[in-house]
Each structure stands twice: as structure tokens, then as C-alpha cells.
Amino acid sequence: MSSYPASSDKQVANDQLDHRPKVLSQLPSPSFVVNLRTFINNCREVHNAITSYSDSECTSSSSAPALSSSRTTSLPRRQIKLRPHVKTHKCKEGAFIQAFLRHSAPLRSDTSSSDGNDDRDSHTTASAGLVAGFVASTIPEMEMLYECAKESKTVKPFGNIVYGIPISRSKIQRIIELKQRFEDLQEQAHFKSDACDNDVELHVLVDNIGQVQMLNEFSSEERKLSVYLKVDTGYHRAGVSINEDGVDLACTIIDSNYLSLKGLYSHCGHAYDVSKKEELEQIINLDHSRIVQFLNMLQQKLSTSKPCDISSKIVSALDISVGSTPSVFMHHKNNVFNNIANQIEVHPGNYVFYDRQQLWTGGSCSTEKQIAVRVLSRVISHYPDRNVMLLDAGALALTKDSSPQGGVCSIEGHPKLECYKMSQEVIMVRPKEAKTKFPFQVFPLEKEVFLVPNHSCLAAACFDRYFVVDNDTGTFDANEEIIEEWFPYKGW
């Protein structure tokens, strides 16, 4: 959690502490700052939303595609699961919050959390099944989840991970070795009370026959590999198409002696391209409908070589993993999934931080105060003849990712200013209205400003540590106390 030193030499440790920044104004610029309270609130809202989906009664919709087998028109109430992505924050504290709504490991001996609330409730949230596991985009992120399991003395939910991009040969051996480390961890005595056969599941993503052939080389009867099939439902970035070739690939995995098809995985990333509620709902409905269409096609294909009850059982056992941050609060808005028996899980990621892109989309983030991060920068020069000021944060602190609102980022509390251009180390700022005189008196040299990133995942990746504050205002102030530092697990 914190980088503040522990030393047998108390005086040395105290001297080191004395030189660490205590408030944001003492930080070098640029620096990456996280509001702990906002981060936790964002995660709590998603927890509550997923719980509400589970509490809703499933009712059939006549317009929804149905699997071609005998199905009831009303399914029993079931629990929708959450599989959060860790690529946005890449740190243990973030994963603990996503799982337990607290930023440190809840141990079994704990009776209360630091804020006075009963910690057993938050621990039960994940262990009871709301959080099915995690998605990671790099091996270090998966190793970070292993460290979370060690600290919390529970493999669940940290030992159930989807490696969230199509698998390559250079990654698979490392994933196999990490799986063994998780299994060894679970065998330790203090993990035994939580142990069950499926606590450790590391899944890989495939969308190409070459990947399946490669996985068969690494697998065996004793070492079967779990696979999610990536399905393209409209984003067109990765995934098999909803056609015969895609279904054939699914059948190849099912028929493999050494691979297990865990489920189907889609990402409706094109939800980022719209800002109207009706358009977002259409994207979600289409995503769900195409998943069900693929299930129908798969069952029909399997039934040509297997008895109907067997093919139905195979298809119904597949987990369905869907979603994106803009869509996370809207998966209950349609009934497309109500006619299938499959377990459904939702996998958002950026919701922990949010950013200007999410604010524009509006599906889950509606105010700037929900954005949990800022890049601290300082005014380093004025140019009155050009009506411009210069900041000391550039592309290496924010990246050049764009946002529909325009501008390379924005300055908190100053909506009439435009961060209109950046280079590697600096940003140029001017009034949005060309005839407006720049308020240089409000921004003296060395003044701290807090920048709202267009894409917080990429901005966070520019830094080797995050400085954490804690307030309930959703705003950032130079005099705010730094309560701890978080260290992301970087690399590939």
C-alpha cells in the first residue's frame, strides 16, 4: 500500500519520512494523483448495480432469440457476476477495492475495517460469488493478483483470471507457471478452509485456429487449459465473427482432449463512440443478441454429431462474459439473456478512475467529480502576446489520446480554458473564446493545476507511482494531505 520505509534503524526511517512529500503542493510535477474516496465510491456503485441485476426477476421476452431446445419461458432468479478488469490501475490496492470495497487485504481475523464498518460483509461480497474473478491484460497484472491472494490469504477471487487479449506463444508458459504458483498457494495450511476445486482458474482468450493448435502443444491430460472464445459483436477489434467459421472454432475447442471451453467473451467497445442513451441501449441489445445467436448456431452444429441433450448441456454450461464501462449500468435494460440458462458476468475496467471520454459517453460517468484521478502540473510560463500559458505536463504524462470534447485534457474547475496543444513535455492553454483575455493573474508561475485526462488508463501507465488523497468533495487541492502511495505493476 504505502512506500513509507520500514527500517531497523528508527532514526534513518524517520529521516526518510521527513523528506517525503506530505501534501500535494510538495510533489514534483507532473504527478499522478488518486482520490481514494472517489475510487471506492465508483466501485461501490458498480457492486450495487451488479447486485441489483441479481435481485431482479428474470422474465422471458418474446422478441429475444432463444436456444433451439426446450426452454422454460421464465427462468429462476440468478446471480449476475462481476469480473472487473485491472488494466486501468494495475495495483494491489485497486484490486482489493474492486473485490472488497477496501484498499487493503481483509484477513479472516479482521472484525472491522478502518472506517469502522464491519469488514466481514465486504469480504463476503466477493467470496459469496459477486466477484467471479478478474481480467488482466499483462502477465505482471496477473502476478499482482497473485500477491493479492497471498496478502488476503484467500485465492478467491484473485486466482480466477482471464488473460484478456488473444493468447500468444510467448505468454502461455508464464501463465502455466503462475497457475502452478496459485495452486501451491492454495495448498498451504492457512488457505485450506477456503479451498475448493475451482478456486484457481487461469483462462486464456482465443479467436484463431492457430492459437488453439499452439495451446494443444502446451496442454496434456494432467494440464488442461481453460479457454474463452472471443466473439466480435460489433466492435471489430478482435474476436471471431458470428458465422460458421467462428462456430467451427468453438467446436474444435470443445472436441479437444486437453482444452476446456469455459465460455464466450465479448467487448462492446463501440459503446465509447456514442453519447445518447438510446444508441447505447442499441449497442448493448445487439451485443447480447449476437451472443445468443452464436449460442444457437453452436448448439445446432453440435447436435449434428452429439445427442440433443448433450449438445444442450454443453452450450448451457458456457459462461457469458460481456460489457464495457459505458454499458455497465445498462445490462438489465433488455431481456435478451432471459431465455438462456448460461451464467452471465460483466467485465468493466475504467470505472475505477473514469476520465473525459467516459464523461462524454455518459453511460456510467455523469460528473467530473466522479473522475477519481488527476495529473498534477504547474504553470511554467506566460505568453501575453499570444494569450497562452504553458504547463509542465505533456504527452509523456497524459499521452496524446483524444476525447470527443476536444482538447488534450482539461483543467479542473476551469471549463472556459482549452488545453489545445501538447508536445512531449508541455501543454499550451488558451481561452476557448478567442476574444477573451487570458486570466494570467489567476495562474501565476509555479501555480499547481489539476488536469483531467482524456484516457485515464493510458495516463496512469505513464507513472511509476500514484499519490493518494482522501476526500468526499471529488475535487483536488494543492494543500491536500497525501495519505499513501500506490505502485502499479508495470511491464508485459
Side-chain angles (χ1 to χ4, degrees):
M1 173 172 63
S2 172
S3 68
Y4 293 111
S7 171
S8 56
D9 188 331
K10 188 173 182 179
Q11 184 58 48
V12 170
N14 287 337
D15 289 345
Q16 290 177 341
L17 282 170
D18 287 342
H19 289 89
R20 288 188 175 274
K22 304 293 194 303
V23 295
L24 294 182
S25 62
Q26 296 173 352
L27 290 177
S29 51
S31 288
F32 194 79
V33 186
V34 178
N35 187 328
L36 173 64
R37 193 83 55 94
T38 306
F39 190 119
I40 293 175
N41 287 342
N42 291 343
C43 290
R44 180 176 289 111
E45 287 183 358
V46 169
H47 271 233
N48 291 342
I50 302 301
T51 301
S52 72
Y53 298 169
S54 302
D55 290 341
S56 300
E57 191 73 42
C58 291
T59 56
S60 174
S61 170
S62 58
S63 62
L67 290 178
S68 52
S69 65
S70 57
R71 300 274 175 177
T72 59
T73 57
S74 181
L75 292 175
R77 185 173 296 174
R78 63 176 169 195
Q79 186 177 46
I80 308 299
K81 295 187 178 183
L82 175 65
R83 183 180 289 277
H85 210 309
V86 299
K87 71 174 184 176
T88 297
H89 58 79
K90 300 177 183 283
C91 59
K92 291 185 293 184
E93 294 83 0
F96 285 133
I97 295 171
Q98 286 177 305
F100 305 127
L101 299 180
R102 54 172 289 170
H103 61 297
S104 59
L107 303 179
R108 290 193 187 90
S109 58
D110 288 351
T111 57
S112 63
S113 61
S114 58
D115 60 6
N117 295 323
D118 190 344
D119 178 67
R120 290 169 294 183
D121 291 340
S122 60
H123 193 181
T124 302
T125 298
S127 60
L130 177 63
V131 179
F134 290 88
V135 187
S137 288
T138 67
I139 305 299
E141 290 168 12
M142 299 175 75
E143 292 169 339
M144 176 267 293
L145 291 167
Y146 171 82
E147 295 300 323
C148 288
K150 283 179 63 177
E151 288 189 21
S152 60
K153 293 185 170 55
T154 175
V155 170
K156 187 185 291 186
F158 304 109
N160 191 317
I161 311 169
V162 176
Y163 180 72
I165 59 175
I167 191 63
S168 63
R169 184 178 294 271
S170 66
K171 308 293 196 310
I172 186 60
Q173 187 60 43
R174 295 166 68 191
I175 291 174
I176 290 172
E177 291 170 359
L178 182 60
K179 184 173 186 289
Q180 185 61 57
R181 289 168 61 194
F182 267 110
E183 290 172 346
D184 292 345
L185 194 65
Q186 186 166 263
E187 286 301 311
Q188 296 178 20
H190 51 282
F191 281 79
K192 290 268 184 156
S193 63
D194 251 15
C196 65
D197 291 341
N198 63 350
D199 273 359
V200 178
E201 292 188 280
L202 269 56
H203 318 280
V204 296
L205 214 61
V206 303
D207 62 1
N208 185 281
I209 186 62
Q211 298 155 356
V212 174
Q213 293 167 346
M214 179 268 293
L215 290 174
N216 275 317
E217 296 175 23
F218 283 89
S219 56
S220 64
E221 185 66 37
E222 296 76 28
R223 191 173 67 188
K224 294 187 176 182
L225 298 176
S226 179
V227 174
Y228 273 84
L229 180 65
K230 182 69 178 285
V231 178
D232 177 18
T233 60
Y235 187 32
H236 305 319
R237 181 177 68 180
V240 299
S241 297
I242 313 296
N243 60 22
E244 187 174 345
D245 290 340
V247 170
D248 286 345
L249 183 57
C251 290
T252 299
I253 300 168
I254 291 169
D255 291 338
S256 169
N257 291 326
Y258 306 133
L259 302 180
S260 171
L261 183 60
K262 176 67 173 177
L264 305 181
Y265 188 104
S266 75
H267 174 61
C268 50
H270 45 314
Y272 286 84
D273 298 333
V274 301
S275 61
K276 295 180 180 179
K277 180 180 177 182
E278 297 77 14
E279 293 175 315
L280 183 56
E281 288 180 350
Q282 288 175 4
I283 288 173
I284 297 168
N285 288 339
L286 188 59
D287 177 72
H288 293 187
S289 296
R290 286 178 171 170
I291 288 284
V292 175
Q293 180 185 357
F294 190 91
L295 291 172
N296 279 325
M297 294 172 64
L298 177 58
Q299 183 168 313
Q300 187 174 22
K301 178 78 173 183
L302 289 172
S303 64
T304 63
S305 59
K306 296 174 172 55
C308 275
D309 59 333
I310 299 299
S311 61
S312 176
K313 184 176 181 181
I314 290 171
V315 173
S316 296
L318 298 177
D319 287 354
I320 308 300
S321 192
V322 298
S324 61
T325 291
S327 66
V328 69
F329 294 106
M330 301 184 70
H331 286 279
H332 65 296
K333 295 288 186 180
N334 69 78
N335 298 317
V336 174
F337 280 157
N338 288 355
N339 286 350
I340 66 174
N342 307 72
Q343 175 63 60
I344 311 298
E345 59 185 37
V346 184
H347 52 244
N350 182 267
Y351 71 98
V352 298
F353 284 170
Y354 290 133
D355 49 33
R356 292 186 77 222
Q357 169 69 58
Q358 300 288 353
L359 186 59
W360 176 84
T361 304
S364 52
C365 177
S366 57
T367 70
E368 189 176 89
K369 291 184 178 181
Q370 289 177 267
I371 302 174
V373 298
R374 301 288 188 273
V375 173
L376 180 147
S377 182
R378 288 185 173 87
V379 179
I380 57 174
S381 198
H382 294 163
Y383 307 100
D385 57 327
R386 301 197 298 271
N387 212 31
V388 169
M389 78 172 177
L390 197 69
L391 305 178
D392 66 350
L396 293 184
L398 289 146
T399 78
K400 289 192 173 182
D401 227 25
S402 60
S403 182
Q405 302 98 312
V408 299
C409 61
S410 63
I411 300 177
E412 178 188 305
H414 296 279
K416 294 183 179 181
L417 296 181
E418 176 188 20
C419 299
Y420 71 97
K421 189 176 182 180
M422 69 163 50
S423 58
Q424 182 168 309
E425 307 291 356
V426 299
I427 291 173
M428 287 161 272
V429 186
R430 65 189 178 191
K432 287 183 178 178
E433 296 292 333
K435 295 181 180 180
T436 301
K437 185 177 180 180
F438 196 97
F440 291 110
Q441 70 282 1
V442 179
F443 296 94
L445 297 188
E446 303 300 326
K447 178 179 174 61
E448 296 88 358
V449 296
F450 293 93
L451 305 177
V452 184
N454 287 343
H455 189 170
S456 58
C457 305
L458 296 189
C462 296
F463 295 87
D464 63 359
R465 70 188 63 195
Y466 312 150
F467 295 95
V468 182
V469 298
D470 185 19
N471 70 61
D472 59 4
T473 66
T475 60
F476 292 69
D477 185 273
N479 295 317
E480 197 152 9
E481 179 187 4
I482 299 166
I483 63 168
E484 55 194 42
E485 297 175 22
W486 295 354
F487 292 86
Y489 280 62
K490 313 258 296 180
W492 291 269

